[in-house]
Amino acid sequence: MKIKHFSKLSVSIACLTMALFFTLTAACIALANDDQVKIGVLAKRGSERCLEKWSPTAKYLTARIPGKTFVIIPLDYEQIYFSVEKGEIDFILANSSFYVEMEKWYGINRIATLKNLVLGTACTRYQGVIFCKADQHDIRNLKDLKGKTFMAVSETSFGGWRMAWRELKEKGIDPHRDFKELRFGGIHDAVLYAVRDGKVDAGTVRADTFIRMHAEGKIDMQDFYVPYEYGEKIEGCPSFPRSTRSYPTWPFAELKHTPDELAEKVAIALIEMPSDSPAAIAARCAGWTIPKNYQSVHECLIDLKVGPYKHLGEITLSDLIRNYWYIFVITSIVFFIMAGFIVKILHLNRTIKASHIKLEGEIRERYQVEKELIEAKKAAETASITKSAFLANMSHEIRTPMNGVIAATDLALSEDLPPKVTHYLEIIQSSAYSLLG
């Protein structure tokens, strides 16, 4: 019995120990997650290259900001929007057009701008380059690209597509209509390799990536030809092949949910990053500077009508209501007042029309009655004349024989007649006078 009791006690202690262990583990994980700060980075040359380039920056920030562990989250061109919208990261480092879009859509805010290192010189602006194989002799200017196959990095890549698209558009070339085929390689390296290997006739990437891949020995710039070079010279930056105007480099931005205190610490740490630090060397940059003006990026997206300016110039009902709601209210009030007046006027018209119809009926009825009265009067007059004539005729017809009767009785009474006969003759004569009136 003691052995069984001891066994049950041991099992209970073991269960409590395991429960406590899992509770502590979960608490540690939750605490670790609270201390973890995620930096989403556009993996323009692939996730492996992204981690290699930016992990030292996360390590630098972890050392500079006690109690926080910074990690790099590589994101491709499609993942960025979702990660920012869902708040899965705390900071975002992506191309300038991504920043402009997400600033408008999701309220992110830049806290620093990258000082890009190109041929040993720090630059805060960058460009794109359009190129083909050196032996592609039928392409010597931008117009020669019509009818050719063309590859860019991604539809949302700024240096690897949108910069070049703007220049093509200004030269009267519509890539979606004038190219034989427009492809997207996904990363800059894939575009360069596709052109080098003859899979497409021409392509576009960031100009500094073009230079860096040559420096890395992955391509030989002598194998390529740049059919168009933009004439802009950037002060403080070395001269190298470029086909587009320049734009401010990538911004480091905080998301809406990121605490301001943390964002301030990160901004200070980035701006104070030495240009010779392991983080700067790995990122191939000269550190960071204060946030730059990204108006030129807005202008590019406006010109292309992409991102937040996709429907620029289009008039929608929501735009009209938002901008001119007061006119709609006033117009609606006036409309309802006028509608009320119109209804009232229509009602009065119907009433007047009904009264008019009724009056016309009464007039016709009265006219008919008057007509009947006139006819009756005429008939009465006609009847009266006829009666008078009849009576006159009757009087004449009666008077003549009565006069004869009277004359005959007078003649008879002048004779000596018996009294009884005389009496009868007098009665006859009296009756004759009575009939004559």
Side-chain angles (χ1 to χ4, degrees):
M1 294 294 291
K2 288 182 179 181
I3 294 174
K4 289 182 179 180
H5 178 71
F6 179 76
S7 177
K8 290 180 179 180
L9 182 61
S10 299
V11 170
S12 299
I13 292 173
C15 290
L16 288 172
T17 302
M18 291 180 66
L20 180 62
F21 172 76
F22 284 120
T23 301
L24 290 173
T25 301
C28 289
I29 292 173
L31 184 61
N33 287 336
D34 288 340
D35 292 337
Q36 191 177 76
V37 180
K38 297 178 181 179
I39 304 173
V41 181
L42 174 62
K44 65 185 179 71
R45 295 183 62 186
S47 297
E48 185 178 347
R49 179 76 182 90
C50 176
L51 290 170
E52 177 188 337
K53 185 176 181 179
W54 296 106
S55 290
T57 298
K59 186 177 180 181
Y60 166 81
L61 292 173
T62 300
R64 284 292 305 267
I65 303 174
K68 297 294 181 181
T69 301
F70 290 81
V71 294
I72 299 298
I73 309 296
L75 301 171
D76 63 28
Y77 286 92
E78 303 301 326
Q79 292 173 320
I80 282 186
Y81 297 113
F82 180 82
S83 297
V84 172
E85 182 182 8
K86 299 300 180 182
E88 296 178 345
I89 53 178
D90 303 294
F91 294 93
I92 182 70
L93 175 58
N95 72 45
S96 307
S97 67
F98 268 129
Y99 168 72
V100 166
E101 290 178 326
M102 293 187 289
E103 178 188 45
K104 191 171 184 66
W105 289 335
Y106 309 125
I108 69 172
N109 181 47
R110 62 190 184 277
I111 61 174
T113 293
L114 180 69
K115 292 195 290 185
N116 201 20
L117 195 61
V118 183
L119 298 178
T121 304
C123 300
T124 56
R125 301 183 72 84
Y126 71 119
Q127 310 81 25
V129 61
I130 299 170
F131 56 93
C132 63
K133 288 184 69 174
D135 58 1
Q136 188 88 25
H137 298 296
D138 58 344
I139 300 178
R140 284 297 174 264
N141 56 64
L142 292 184
K143 291 185 178 180
D144 294 334
L145 293 173
K146 291 184 177 182
K148 301 295 192 298
T149 55
F150 193 92
M151 181 176 284
V153 178
S154 168
E155 287 186 286
T156 51
S157 173
F158 194 48
W161 173 233
R162 288 177 172 175
M163 289 184 187
W165 183 10
R166 187 183 188 186
E167 306 305 329
L168 291 168
K169 182 181 178 182
E170 287 197 357
K171 297 300 180 183
I173 301 171
D174 183 348
H176 300 90
R177 182 189 65 208
D178 296 332
F179 288 166
K180 181 180 179 180
E181 183 182 6
L182 176 60
R183 304 180 195 172
F184 295 98
I187 59 175
H188 287 67
D189 302 47
V191 177
L192 278 157
Y193 294 149
V195 175
R196 183 196 64 184
D197 298 339
K199 294 180 180 179
V200 292
D201 296 317
T204 184
V205 295
R206 281 181 52 149
D208 57 340
T209 301
F210 191 69
I211 299 297
R212 284 174 179 168
M213 288 188 68
H214 172 75
E216 293 169 0
K218 295 181 178 179
I219 61 167
D220 185 350
M221 287 180 56
Q222 300 301 318
D223 294 335
F224 300 95
Y225 175 75
V226 177
Y228 171 75
E229 291 198 42
Y230 197 82
E232 178 187 20
K233 299 297 182 182
I234 306 172
E235 185 178 351
C237 284
S239 178
F240 54 86
R242 65 194 76 176
S243 304
T244 72
R245 67 201 74 189
S246 64
Y247 300 88
T249 54
W250 289 18
F252 195 101
E254 61 170 323
L255 271 67
K256 287 181 68 174
H257 71 267
T258 305
D260 290 339
E261 183 181 356
L262 175 61
E264 290 174 5
K265 291 179 180 179
V266 170
I268 293 170
L270 289 175
I271 292 173
E272 292 179 350
M273 179 188 288
S275 59
D276 59 350
S277 67
I281 293 171
R284 296 189 178 183
C285 71
W288 300 81
T289 186
I290 59 173
K292 294 297 182 180
N293 186 340
Y294 286 79
Q295 181 58 35
S296 60
V297 182
H298 282 277
E299 292 169 358
C300 179
L301 302 190
I302 289 171
D303 195 21
L304 297 175
K305 289 188 177 180
V306 294
Y309 305 104
K310 183 177 181 180
H311 301 291
L312 183 68
E314 297 179 8
I315 300 176
T316 63
L317 180 60
S318 59
D319 292 331
L320 289 174
I321 294 173
R322 183 172 59 254
N323 296 320
Y324 303 103
W325 61 269
Y326 57 94
I327 295 178
F328 279 98
V329 171
I330 295 171
T331 304
S332 299
I333 293 172
V334 172
F335 171 79
F336 284 116
I337 291 173
M338 291 182 66
F341 277 119
I342 291 171
V343 170
K344 185 66 175 177
I345 290 169
L346 289 175
H347 177 70
L348 290 174
N349 284 340
R350 284 195 295 268
T351 303
I352 293 170
K353 188 176 181 180
S355 300
H356 181 69
I357 293 172
K358 183 178 179 182
L359 181 61
E360 286 183 341
E362 291 177 351
I363 290 172
R364 284 195 299 269
E365 184 177 353
R366 182 174 179 180
Y367 175 77
Q368 184 66 29
V369 170
E370 290 178 350
K371 184 179 179 182
E372 290 177 355
L373 288 172
I374 292 170
E375 290 177 352
K377 185 177 180 180
K378 288 180 178 180
E381 290 175 352
T382 302
S384 177
I385 293 170
T386 303
K387 181 180 180 182
S388 298
F390 173 76
L391 291 174
N393 291 331
M394 287 295 296
S395 176
H396 176 73
E397 293 297 328
I398 292 173
R399 192 177 295 276
T400 299
M402 290 301 104
N403 285 330
V405 171
I406 292 172
T409 55
D410 283 340
L411 182 61
L413 289 172
S414 64
E415 297 294 333
D416 187 16
L417 296 173
K420 191 172 185 176
V421 173
T422 300
H423 176 68
Y424 282 125
L425 288 173
E426 288 176 351
I427 291 171
I428 291 170
Q429 189 178 52
S430 177
S431 297
Y433 279 118
S434 297
L435 287 175
L436 291 175

